[in-house]
Amino acid sequence: MARRESGSFDRINPDMTPMIDVVFQLLTFFMLTLKSVIPEGDFDIRMPLGAAAAAAPDDQLVPPIRVKMTAAADGRLAGMTMNGSPIRDFDDLRNKVVGIVGTDTGPNSLAENTEVELDCDYGLSYENVVQAITSVSGMVRDGQIVELIKKIKFTPVKSGK
Amino acid sequence: MGRRSEGPSTTEVDMTPMIDIVFQLMTFFIFTLNFSEAEQDDRIQLPLSQLAKPVPGPVEKPITLQVTSTNSVIYAGELVPVVQIGGYLEREKASLVNAGRQPADATVIVRADGRAKTGEVQEVVKICQEKGFEKFALRAQYDERE
């Protein structure tokens, strides 16, 4: 049989070109499909049409907390009241909410049964609404989220154009 | 000078380091690849919230409506005025009913820009409610600052 001389070590030099071609193609593909996903989260809100009418008074033992937010002309938050009394900022709002419902959030707790109604001016920047929802729906304590009020609703939109 | 003179000589470059690096890079890009079809748009600057932790599982068949800072809606990549989204939602509703589901079961993800007017966002929500949608998810960007 035709065998090569095996006396010396033959250095095998495989042709790398096709492999490198393919690897670079793959690299380009993965680089182009890279998209940085920013972590996002949701506030789930159940809002059927005519919710105000559907909520019978007897299953609402706790009166809702009404948070009213007024806007300046440029959309910034001009003032905030909770059940009529003025509120300084969102931390104040959170403290007042904790003062009302406490931090017990187990089943059938006060926090679970309380509802927050947001009454916002038409021109208010939406970020203020999200901050208000953040303040009433929970707080971060030692890296853990403590949930407060989950039932959030909006007053019907006012035509403020 | 001691030069080889036998024809064109092939210079052998050591490919090993390059291939190492290229494979490292490829592994990195493979691991960072994600197939999530989460609709994100550069035109929207979501408001920040410390409580907006990413949800563990994706919402089943959501409808994403993105409200821009100029108070129009991006629906399926298209810029639509707020007053016109009713027609698109009607189509979504029809396809849900065809699939044997109710609009009340579907979730509408509202990705509104932080600078958008609250009234416009509420207007969008109201149009959805009129079409029978009940579940809304107001989306915010997770704020990692303490």
Side-chain angles (χ1 to χ4, degrees):
Chain A
M1 277 203 273
R3 264 204 169 189
R4 266 210 277 169
E5 287 281 317
S6 55
S8 62
F9 278 110
D10 269 354
R11 200 187 151 131
I12 309 163
N13 270 335
D15 191 6
M16 293 297 222
T17 321
M19 193 191 78
I20 291 168
D21 283 357
V22 166
V23 164
F24 269 103
Q25 294 265 356
L26 284 169
L27 189 69
T28 321
F29 168 75
F30 285 119
M31 271 170 76
L32 291 180
T33 52
L34 178 78
K35 53 178 176 189
S36 59
V37 173
I38 311 153
E40 294 179 355
D42 291 333
F43 292 104
D44 293 316
I45 292 179
R46 199 176 177 89
M47 278 189 288
L49 193 62
D58 57 3
D59 68 359
Q60 268 201 302
L61 302 163
V62 195
I65 299 172
R66 270 181 67 92
V67 177
K68 184 168 169 53
M69 291 191 278
T70 45
D74 58 351
R76 271 185 292 178
L77 187 67
M80 192 163 43
T81 60
M82 188 176 90
N83 290 339
S85 56
I87 300 242
R88 265 180 289 119
D89 52 10
F90 291 108
D91 286 329
D92 194 23
L93 174 65
R94 176 173 296 144
N95 292 337
K96 289 234 164 70
V97 166
V98 172
I100 291 174
V101 300
T103 47
D104 171 33
T105 52
N108 226 358
S109 63
L110 195 56
E112 200 182 51
N113 291 325
T114 311
E115 194 174 48
V116 171
E117 193 178 46
L118 295 175
D119 183 359
C120 311
D121 275 359
Y122 193 91
L124 185 73
S125 291
Y126 178 68
E127 56 193 345
N128 295 303
V129 178
V130 170
Q131 275 200 42
I133 295 175
T134 307
S135 300
V136 300
S137 64
M139 55 184 171
V140 181
R141 188 185 279 171
D142 304 330
Q144 293 286 314
I145 291 177
V146 180
E147 284 185 340
L148 296 168
I149 298 169
K150 279 189 221 156
K151 285 191 206 164
I152 291 159
K153 67 174 183 181
F154 289 90
T155 50
V157 58
K158 301 170 219 164
S159 53
K161 272 183 186 172
Chain B
M1 283 199 271
R3 264 203 168 189
R4 270 205 278 169
S5 57
E6 296 159 11
S9 66
T10 50
T11 33
E12 272 188 27
V13 187
D14 191 7
M15 292 294 217
T16 322
M18 191 191 78
I19 291 167
D20 283 357
I21 289 286
V22 165
F23 269 100
Q24 294 265 0
L25 281 171
M26 212 169 81
T27 322
F28 168 76
F29 284 117
I30 288 173
F31 278 114
T32 51
L33 183 75
N34 63 54
F35 294 98
S36 71
E37 286 170 30
E39 268 191 68
Q40 293 193 341
D41 201 295
D42 298 337
R43 287 170 280 188
I44 305 286
Q45 239 183 59
L46 285 183
L48 296 173
S49 167
Q50 289 182 338
L51 299 181
K53 282 257 170 96
V55 276
V59 188
E60 195 192 337
K61 291 222 172 166
I63 300 162
T64 309
L65 296 174
Q66 321 198 50
V67 185
T68 64
S69 57
T70 51
N71 302 317
S72 39
V73 176
I74 301 172
Y75 169 81
E78 262 180 77
L79 209 61
V80 184
V82 171
V83 284
Q84 284 178 21
I85 59 162
Y88 293 97
L89 286 168
E90 198 65 56
R91 253 181 270 162
E92 289 277 0
K93 187 179 163 183
S95 71
L96 278 169
V97 171
N98 278 342
R101 293 169 67 215
Q102 289 300 310
D105 304 330
T107 305
V108 179
I109 296 177
V110 180
R111 292 186 86 243
D113 194 292
R115 297 158 295 177
K117 284 181 180 163
T118 305
E120 297 289 341
V121 181
Q122 281 190 270
E123 204 81 62
V124 170
V125 169
K126 194 178 133 202
I127 294 169
C128 296
Q129 286 175 327
E130 281 164 1
K131 303 290 173 204
F133 295 97
E134 287 182 8
K135 281 197 267 181
F136 297 92
L138 305 182
R139 192 150 275 192
Q141 190 183 323
Y142 177 47
D143 187 4
E144 283 161 280
R145 290 171 298 161
E146 276 299 303

